[in-house]
Amino acid sequence: MTEMLLGLMQNEFPLTLNHIRRRMQSANHGSEVVTLMPDGSAQRISHAALTERVDRLARALGELGVEQGDRVASFAWNNQRHLELYFAVPCTGAVLHTLNIRLFAEQLTYIVNHAEDRVIFVDDSLVGVLEKLAPSFEGVAHYVVMGDGDTGSLPNALRYEDLLEQAGGGPFDYPELDERQAAALCYTSGTTGNPKGVLYSHRSISLHSSATLMSDGNGLSRNDRVLAVVPMFHANAWGLPYGAALAGSDLILPDRFLGAEPLAKLIASERPSLMGCVPTIFQDLLRYADEHPDVDLSSLTNAACGGSAVPKQLMKDFEERHGVRIYQAWGMTETSPVATYSRPREDGEHDAQHWEDRAKQGRPLPWVELRLVGDEGEEVPWDGESTGEIQVRGPWIASSYFRDPDPEKFDDGWLRTGDIASVDEKAYVQITDRSKDVIKSGGEWISSVELENELMSHPSVIEAAVIAKPDERWAERPLCCVVLSGEGAASAEELVEHLSSRVAKWWLPDEFAFIGEIPKTSVGKFDKKVLRGQLAEGRLEGRVKV
Ligand code: ADP
């Protein structure tokens, strides 16, 4: 065999977060990080000054006995200190475990103990939640409270600012890291079974961050001011904080103030150019903006939305009424999370085809490979009609879970996502369902996602979640759980009429449940598991047959 001829480039230069940290320190002149404070004011710091605090924190971690590979947890909102942890922990070789503050108590106990977290950094506003759980944590040696608030009953609580003060200033001597080393840990929200740990590496985060700068993705640049509403405890806030640091964009963090009113005020005063959040927050913001005509969203040109299907009507309303272009992305914790992004070609008018493409989940980002696999393991063609499970592979896709291999989820180097979709000839993915949410009626699939999307395009429908209802004749039929803008704002018959020109006849529902609110998961998605449970136990209210 002939010997491999190696390229003569700096192949050993590691793709680590230390590079991004160094850029913040020396290359991002004029860039800032802004945090919304409880009194409505904004706390500002330059990228360079933030890295000085990161150096202090890195030193403090050493003094707490944190070693390479140790898990250090955060229990925090989107704010400056959380961002400091995003850099200090991985840059010293330890692993930042971002705890989802909205998980159920038992799940939090499970993940803290499963990850063997040694230190937990907690926002003072969240001490009340964490202190109740602290006795169930097995290996936590230190709690560090961020902010001046009460430390509650947390054992041996330390103060973040004291640690930084004691650590002293000056540059920190960061270790040389291997790009394959673990950098961050994030557990899935565990809608079925125990949460699973996704262990990101320096390399996977570095490459995913670069993808947030691609113009067919978020396209972050130095000209952007990025408002990250998606939580920093949820899949690294979709890569926005690291991406902004790499690009030199300003980063705006809303802390715990996620209501439409504080967000609208923040947008008006800080003038972000791009914002990232789930559809429910955009829905709230749109309603607020409609009710308050003086709201100024004019700085926002782009927005990234995902986590669940983004209703076409929501995108249209934002664009037509406020000039904000919402682009849809798809992914999951296991895919870092962004894997596809929907930015149709800009060739003139936004016609029906444009909107059809926008409403799809998008094309795979460069470096992400995607295939559809049918029930028999066969590959499904990209014809825009045939559906199969999405499988993906690439440098920022999980290859296994942390200490819980779950081989069922991985197929010979591909991640089995559990999402059912079609892909068209232009490579646009369209999710029809999660495999656990599919509705099979008379042997044929009905897409709950599409029904929801069409229902939410009705002006009187605020939210819609469609679940399968057992049926003697058809095996399953769709049951549409709907939140109306006001009591009786639309009748079941009117909604069926609305759907009849939009979906196949046999998809038309014969039952609705008019409810006050759709239950949501810890990351703000419709929790259909709860609705199915209520249906099974006969507790689902407001049911109306058509
Ligand atoms: P969990 O699996 O705990 O809900 P994730 O946040 O990782 O947590 O969720 C990933 C799932 O969210 C995907 O598998 C998919 O079902 C859904 N999802 C994400 N983005 C979209 C989107 N744009 N359209 C439809 N579904 C989406």
Side-chain angles (χ1 to χ4, degrees), residues 81-262:
R81 294 189 181 106
H82 205 172
L83 188 68
E84 290 162 4
L85 286 163
Y86 258 49
F87 284 95
V89 175
C91 288
T92 54
V95 179
L96 181 65
H97 176 195
T98 47
L99 294 165
N100 178 344
I101 59 171
R102 300 198 185 109
L103 280 186
F104 293 120
E106 315 82 75
Q107 290 185 327
L108 274 167
T109 299
Y110 172 83
I111 67 175
V112 168
N113 292 337
H114 185 265
E116 296 180 0
D117 293 332
R118 297 211 40 205
V119 185
I120 301 184
F121 285 79
V122 52
D123 273 347
D124 55 4
S125 60
L126 291 167
V127 163
V129 185
L130 197 71
E131 65 180 352
K132 297 194 204 80
L133 302 172
S136 68
F137 299 157
E138 288 158 8
V140 177
H142 303 284
Y143 292 90
V144 182
V145 176
M146 300 189 281
D148 304 326
D150 197 2
T151 60
S153 61
L154 288 174
N156 312 319
L158 303 166
R159 293 262 184 202
Y160 187 89
E161 293 301 330
D162 291 350
L163 287 183
L164 260 61
E165 181 68 36
Q166 287 151 16
F172 178 76
D173 191 13
Y174 289 90
E176 286 287 317
L177 300 178
D178 185 312
E179 64 179 28
R180 295 165 305 172
Q181 253 172 277
L185 177 63
C186 187
Y187 282 73
T188 61
S189 37
T191 35
T192 47
N194 275 328
K196 311 265 184 202
V198 179
L199 190 57
Y200 305 117
S201 63
H202 281 266
R203 177 184 157 83
S204 73
I205 297 179
S206 300
L207 290 169
H208 181 267
S209 305
S210 302
T212 66
L213 275 58
M214 291 177 184
S215 45
D216 280 341
N218 284 316
L220 298 187
S221 87
R222 280 198 70 193
N223 290 318
D224 279 307
R225 283 172 70 74
V226 179
L227 173 57
V229 178
V230 48
M232 289 171 76
F233 56 74
H234 186 212
N236 290 334
W238 299 347
L240 294 174
Y242 288 130
L246 188 62
S249 320
D250 295 329
L251 183 64
I252 303 165
L253 301 170
D255 198 78
R256 58 187 185 279
F257 307 105
L258 305 179
E261 185 177 343

Side-chain angles (χ1 to χ4, degrees), residues 497-543:
E497 174 66 30
H498 169 81
L499 289 174
S500 59
S501 60
R502 292 171 165 82
V503 301
K505 194 153 181 280
W506 57 275
W507 284 27
L508 292 176
D510 31 47
E511 189 165 352
F512 285 79
F514 292 105
I515 55 181
E517 196 186 345
I518 309 248
K520 310 269 178 0
T521 69
S522 59
V523 291
K525 302 184 193 192
F526 294 163
D527 199 341
K528 297 195 191 178
K529 191 167 47 66
V530 172
L531 291 171
R532 281 193 287 264
Q534 290 175 351
L535 176 69
E537 291 160 17
R539 289 188 292 112
L540 188 61
E541 288 165 15
R543 287 170 67 180

Side-chain angles (χ1 to χ4, degrees), residues 276-298:
C277 64
V278 292
T280 42
I281 297 217
F282 276 120
Q283 300 270 24
D284 293 349
L285 194 59
L286 182 67
R287 221 170 313 135
Y288 183 84
D290 287 345
E291 286 160 12
H292 300 81
D294 54 332
V295 161
D296 179 8
L297 306 179
S298 63

Side-chain angles (χ1 to χ4, degrees), residues 188-191 234-235 305-310 328-334 337 361 417-419 431 433-434 436 449 521 523 525:
T188 61
S189 37
T191 35
H234 186 212
C305 193
S308 47
V310 186
Q328 167 154 222
W330 166 85
M332 56 204 306
T333 307
E334 291 87 332
Q361 276 68 24
T417 66
D419 282 332
I431 308 254
D433 259 308
R434 285 192 104 165
K436 52 180 182 285
V449 173
T521 69
V523 291
K525 302 184 193 192

Side-chain angles (χ1 to χ4, degrees), residues 451 454-464 480-485 488-503 508-509 511-514 544 546:
L451 277 177
E454 296 301 354
L455 280 167
M456 286 190 275
S457 72
H458 189 284
S460 303
V461 174
I462 294 182
E463 289 176 337
C480 304
C481 305
V482 172
V483 180
L484 293 174
S485 55
S491 65
E493 287 74 19
E494 198 179 327
L495 294 180
V496 172
E497 174 66 30
H498 169 81
L499 289 174
S500 59
S501 60
R502 292 171 165 82
V503 301
L508 292 176
E511 189 165 352
F512 285 79
F514 292 105
V544 177
V546 186

